[in-house]
Structure formats: C-alpha cells, structure tokens
Amino acid sequence: MDFQLFMNDVVQTARKDMVEAGYEELTTPEQVDEVFSKGGTALVLINSVCGCAGGIARPSAHYMKNYEVQADHYVTVFAGQDREATARARDYFEGYEPSSPSFALLKDGKIQTMLERHEIEGHEPIEVVQKLEQAFDTYFKG
C-alpha cells in the first residue's frame, strides 16, 4: 500500500470522526478568528494523526459532547494538516507550547486551561475525560 494513500485515509477518518461527533472543523485562520471572537465557551481539540494519543483524545472529545456541563462551541483544528488554522488557534493559547493532540478551553476567546499531549498520551480515555470534566466544572459551569 502506498504510504501517502494510507496517511490520507487516516487523516480523513480522524477528521470525519470529529465532525460526526458534532465538532466544527476550522481549516483557515479566518474561521478560527470568527469562532473564537463569538464569545462564550469553547472546547478546542487540536487533532492529530498520532496513533496513541490521537486514539485517546478523539474518543474523549466525543464523550464531552454528552457531559452535563456544555461548551457553547465545539471545534477542532488539525495539526500537521491545516497548518495556518492550527497556528492561528495556537496564537490564542498564550503560555502554552504547541502540543498535539491537546485540548484548549476558551472563554470569550481567552485561554482558560489546556490538556496537553503529555496529559493524554499513556492515559486511559476515562482519565482524560475526568480531567476534561473537572476543567468544564471549573471554567464553564454557571
């Protein structure tokens, strides 16, 4: 099998998974600015084809659509694929180094906290979900 074809399939599957979970895919810097300037709360998944961490992050992101505390916006940028959109999103993540996959929680366009790759990789999805639930309760509740 051709490696490029294989990777295209992996990327498309990872994209489709998040769109089907109800996340808006942001592929341009303009889309990032538009969504982040809307106000309210946002959970941002910085998606990645990294098998181990990405395979934990995407199911965790999917689960969060069903949590009792909800964000106003659920969005995703794809690191290594939509480079300009990812770079623009990272401009909002002041104080955090680039990390993928990762989660950013924004309120009125300002970073509240992040779950970085080292908090995802090597952990069970339920552990990541619990960290996200705690962050939602802290930053998005009420």
Side-chain angles (χ1 to χ4, degrees):
M1 173 179 252
D2 179 83
F3 181 74
Q4 191 60 39
L5 288 174
F6 172 76
M7 286 309 296
N8 286 342
D9 189 46
V10 170
V11 168
Q12 293 301 12
T13 299
R15 286 183 187 276
K16 183 180 173 189
D17 189 33
M18 294 321 306
V19 170
E20 287 179 352
Y23 282 69
E24 179 182 355
E25 191 173 31
L26 307 178
T27 59
T28 68
E30 295 78 18
Q31 289 174 323
V32 170
D33 287 336
E34 180 183 336
V35 170
F36 289 7
S37 68
K38 285 182 180 177
T41 57
L43 176 62
V44 183
L45 168 64
I46 297 82
N47 204 348
S48 171
V49 292
C50 169
C52 48
I56 296 167
R58 285 186 294 276
S60 301
H62 193 286
Y63 173 84
M64 291 310 293
K65 289 287 292 183
N66 300 306
Y67 187 53
E68 64 187 52
V69 178
Q70 289 286 295
D72 297 313
H73 310 283
Y74 292 84
V75 298
T76 181
V77 294
F78 210 119
Q81 302 300 313
D82 301 318
R83 293 170 197 237
E84 293 86 9
T86 302
R88 183 64 187 127
R90 287 178 171 153
D91 287 344
Y92 287 84
F93 309 154
E94 291 180 27
Y96 293 93
E97 293 295 319
S99 175
S100 61
S102 59
F103 292 95
L105 281 75
L106 301 176
K107 189 170 190 176
D108 297 327
K110 304 284 185 216
I111 187 73
Q112 302 299 300
T113 193
M114 282 193 78
L115 261 67
E116 298 173 273
R117 180 187 175 119
H118 70 271
E119 298 174 273
I120 299 169
E121 188 174 39
H123 293 84
E124 294 296 321
I126 190 65
E127 294 172 299
V128 174
V129 164
Q130 289 169 341
K131 291 175 189 178
L132 287 169
E133 288 175 342
Q134 183 178 10
F136 268 49
D137 290 346
T138 300
Y139 298 104
F140 292 175
K141 200 173 196 174

